[in-house]
């Protein structure tokens, strides 16, 4: 039986109905695509930004300082692996350096000499150009693990976290890197009480008991966030220092 429209008017009606349906489907598909892009963008932005209502861990350190290296590798990174939803961090690479500025430029003298000043600049530029919070910490941890060759390590570590090394290197060898390091120096010198040991670690703008923080960051952060234990799943379990995590592997899983 022939069910095709029998006249031109019916054909036009069917034609416009089909066109309307196709137009609706196209608009719906475009809306879903924009929504997904927006959701992904928001997720990335949240990862790039300091988190509100979390313990803020600020680490004042030097690029060639063995104590800074130990703290970042054995305290900061493992603690963040265990409870990334409870605290956030800021890295301040300067330490006990000194800044001199005159008409010819900005100059630094560092506790571990000129090579450390370059390392500090690479850290500072990495912090600026690696805006993703997790990759930023991975870069710093990788870089400070190779304290004797910051230039070569910087390139290798940038590739490891998919960062633009050319951008970071250009920054570290220019006035931009000097300006960044100068700003970190001003922040370090403005700490109250003044820095006497590197690294100095500040929790929520309070230096507290530095020996306890440096010895067991996880415990100190968890003790400040007892009110969040009922919100986040298994936080009590993960705050237990006897809970074992494999360094590096879990970091990659959490941060992707």
């Amino acid at each position: 039986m022939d069910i095709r429209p029998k006249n031109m008017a019916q054909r036009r009606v069917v034609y416009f109905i089909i066109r309307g349906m196709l137009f609706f489907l196209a608009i719906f598909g475009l809306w879903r695509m924009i929504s997904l892009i927006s959701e992904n963008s928001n997720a990335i932005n949240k990862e790039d930004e300091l988190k509100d209502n979390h313990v803020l861990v600020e680490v004042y350190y030097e690029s060639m300082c063995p104590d800074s290296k130990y703290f970042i590798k054995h305290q900061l990174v493992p603690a963040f692996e265990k409870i990334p939803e409870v605290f956030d961090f800021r890295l301040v690479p300067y330490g006990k350096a000194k800044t001199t500025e005159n008409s010819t430029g900005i100059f630094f003298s560092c506790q571990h000499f000129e090579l450390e000043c370059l390392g500090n600049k690479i850290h500072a530029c990495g912090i600026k150009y690696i805006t993703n919070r997790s990759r930023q910490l991975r870069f710093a941890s990788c870089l400070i693990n190779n304290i004797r060759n910051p230039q070569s390590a910087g390139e290798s570590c940038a590739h490891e976290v998919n960062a633009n090394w050319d951008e970071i290197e250009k920054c570290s060898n220019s006035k931009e890197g000097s300006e960044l390091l100068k700003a970190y120096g001003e922040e370090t010198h403005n700490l109250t009480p003044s820095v006497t040991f590197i690294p100095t670690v500040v929790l929520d703008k309070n230096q507290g008991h530095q020996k306890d923080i440096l010895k067991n960051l996880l415990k100190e952060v968890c003790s400040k966030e007892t009110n969040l234990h009922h919100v986040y799943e298994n936080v009590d379990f993960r705050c237990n220092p006897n809970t074992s995590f494999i360094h590096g592997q879990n970091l990659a899983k959490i941060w992707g």
Side-chain angles (χ1 to χ4, degrees), residues 172-222:
S172 66
N173 290 324
S174 68
K175 184 179 179 181
E176 181 183 17
S178 296
E179 291 285 0
L180 290 173
L181 193 56
K182 173 190 171 185
Y184 282 133
E186 292 171 350
E187 183 179 348
T188 301
H189 290 309
N190 287 333
L191 269 181
T192 304
S194 300
V195 168
T196 58
F197 182 81
I198 294 297
T200 289
V201 183
V202 180
L203 305 186
D204 283 344
K205 305 301 180 181
N206 190 332
Q207 294 187 33
H209 299 286
Q210 284 295 293
K211 288 184 178 180
D212 294 337
I213 295 172
L214 295 173
K215 182 179 180 181
N216 196 334
L217 176 65
L218 179 68
K219 178 181 177 181
E220 295 303 308
V221 170
C222 287

Side-chain angles (χ1 to χ4, degrees), residues 137-177:
L137 182 53
R138 286 173 59 196
F139 176 77
S141 177
C142 174
L143 184 57
I144 206 167
N145 195 43
N146 299 277
I147 57 178
R148 298 299 173 186
N149 197 341
Q151 195 82 20
S152 175
E155 183 174 8
S156 174
C157 294
H159 292 158
E160 184 175 308
V161 301
N162 296 318
N164 186 335
W165 168 242
D166 291 338
E167 194 173 49
I168 296 171
E169 182 183 34
K170 180 180 178 181
C171 166
S172 66
N173 290 324
S174 68
K175 184 179 179 181
E176 181 183 17

